[in-house]
Amino acid sequence: MTESFKEDPLRILRAARFSATLGFRVATETSSLMSQMVDSGELESLSVERVEREFRLAIAGNWPSYFFQTLKTCGAVSHLFPEIDSPEFYSENNRLFQTLKKYCELEDKSTERYVIFCFFVDKYSREKNSKIQKIKTLTKKLNVPKNTVEMILLFNEYHDKIIQLNELDSDTIMSLLEAVDAYRKSDRLLQLAEITGLIETPDLNPRKIELNVRFVAEILTETKKITASKIFTEKEIASKHYREITSKVRNERVKRIDEIKNGF
């Protein structure tokens, strides 16, 4: 092992990340050296950006559990990620790592991986804060992009409703569409439905998950077609109060959701 390794604390994270992406175990000699670096306080000099990058790349690997097992062995987890330092967390067969593997090595799925990881934070944490507080602490520490944090929080708030979306009444479904800003950011609800399917796969019938995603896609496509200009003339729009217009559009969209539900 060269002296340059000991001089760069980023090597600790990189060794753990390569373990996760290439599937090897860090040698005992190297792990011992990493422990010495941790004990000497070298990790304190790492920037948030560097820690986040290695974390993000590691959870995209085929062996994401190796990243955290490697950091646990050298004592780095308690410094970097105390929120998740519980014995159950390190099993490569736990639900979190099994779900992450379904998105492994897909470059455009970093948001989904963050959502999945944060969903399980509470399950593997010893801290007594609320789940949302744990999520906010972790995402702030890693400086996770704002849009990704929004998706994480939305998923944790509406996960239970998304699982049974086609079983909810139409007005509740409409309220969910509004809550996730589905008409301005139409990919959001589809992403959330797909993630829900991946997390719940061991417990739900795959057919039900597929139908749920199809249902989301159809209600988004069909209700987006219902706009003020399709219901009112330009003269009516100019003369009516905004609330009256939006109320009518919403009611028509709820009716359309009813029709779609009846077809499923």
Side-chain angles (χ1 to χ4, degrees):
M1 191 63 59
T2 64
E3 286 297 316
S4 62
F5 186 96
K6 293 189 291 184
E7 293 171 359
D8 184 2
L10 184 60
R11 301 287 178 90
I12 296 173
L13 282 171
R14 284 184 174 165
R17 188 246 295 179
F18 287 139
S19 178
T21 55
L22 300 177
F24 67 84
R25 298 291 191 176
V26 173
T28 302
E29 178 188 351
T30 304
S31 183
S32 177
L33 182 56
M34 290 162 63
S35 294
Q36 294 173 32
M37 295 167 70
V38 171
D39 292 341
S40 68
E42 295 286 340
L43 290 175
E44 304 303 320
S45 65
L46 288 174
S47 68
V48 172
E49 291 76 18
R50 286 187 167 188
V51 175
E52 189 278 332
R53 181 177 185 274
E54 298 304 321
F55 177 92
R56 174 167 34 86
L57 294 173
I59 64 173
N62 275 301
W63 299 269
S65 63
Y66 286 16
F67 176 74
F68 300 99
Q69 291 168 6
T70 301
L71 294 180
K72 176 65 175 177
T73 301
C74 72
V77 168
S78 60
H79 294 269
L80 297 171
F81 309 110
E83 300 84 0
I84 51 175
D85 193 11
S86 70
E88 300 82 6
F89 175 71
Y90 298 97
S91 168
E92 59 191 271
N93 294 318
N94 75 32
R95 191 83 161 261
L96 164 60
F97 296 128
Q98 291 301 309
T99 307
L100 282 173
K101 284 182 181 181
K102 298 170 186 176
Y103 277 136
C104 70
E105 298 182 347
L106 298 176
E107 293 184 8
D108 61 340
K109 297 295 184 181
S110 63
T111 294
E112 285 85 346
R113 282 189 286 266
Y114 263 121
V115 171
I116 291 166
F117 192 92
C118 288
F119 180 75
F120 286 98
V121 161
D122 194 52
K123 182 177 178 64
Y124 299 113
S125 175
R126 288 180 171 179
E127 296 191 351
K128 295 182 179 180
N129 295 335
S130 69
K131 181 177 184 179
I132 295 303
Q133 188 55 53
K134 290 170 189 172
I135 289 170
K136 288 182 176 179
T137 299
L138 182 63
T139 54
K140 183 178 181 180
K141 177 187 298 184
L142 291 172
N143 198 21
V144 176
K146 180 181 177 181
N147 288 343
T148 300
V149 175
E150 287 178 0
M151 284 287 286
I152 292 167
L153 295 175
L154 283 171
F155 185 79
N156 279 275
E157 183 170 358
Y158 297 110
H159 163 259
D160 291 340
K161 287 185 177 179
I162 294 170
I163 292 176
Q164 53 180 351
L165 191 65
N166 58 3
E167 298 171 13
L168 302 176
D169 65 79
S170 298
D171 191 76
T172 301
I173 293 172
M174 188 66 221
S175 294
L176 178 59
L177 292 175
E178 293 164 341
V180 302
D181 201 8
Y183 293 112
R184 289 197 311 122
K185 301 175 182 178
S186 57
D187 289 343
R188 267 188 175 182
L189 193 56
L190 275 172
Q191 280 181 285
L192 295 174
E194 288 171 359
I195 296 168
T196 297
L198 289 178
I199 288 175
E200 300 297 335
T201 294
D203 300 326
L204 293 182
N205 186 310
R207 175 64 176 162
K208 181 175 180 179
I209 294 169
E210 179 188 346
L211 285 174
N212 206 35
V213 174
R214 281 177 49 201
F215 180 68
V216 169
E218 186 163 349
I219 61 173
L220 281 171
T221 299
E222 291 300 313
T223 57
K224 280 176 73 173
K225 295 176 183 178
I226 301 171
T227 61
S229 61
K230 293 292 179 64
I231 300 172
F232 302 102
T233 65
E234 290 185 11
K235 186 177 180 180
E236 287 174 325
I237 291 174
S239 64
K240 291 182 181 294
H241 193 280
Y242 174 75
R243 287 184 182 176
E244 182 181 355
I245 294 172
T246 55
S247 177
K248 179 65 175 176
V249 170
R250 189 186 194 281
N251 289 339
E252 292 301 315
R253 285 173 170 173
V254 170
K255 289 178 184 177
R256 184 67 185 110
I257 293 171
D258 259 332
E259 294 170 355
I260 295 169
K261 276 172 57 68
N262 292 333
F264 265 75

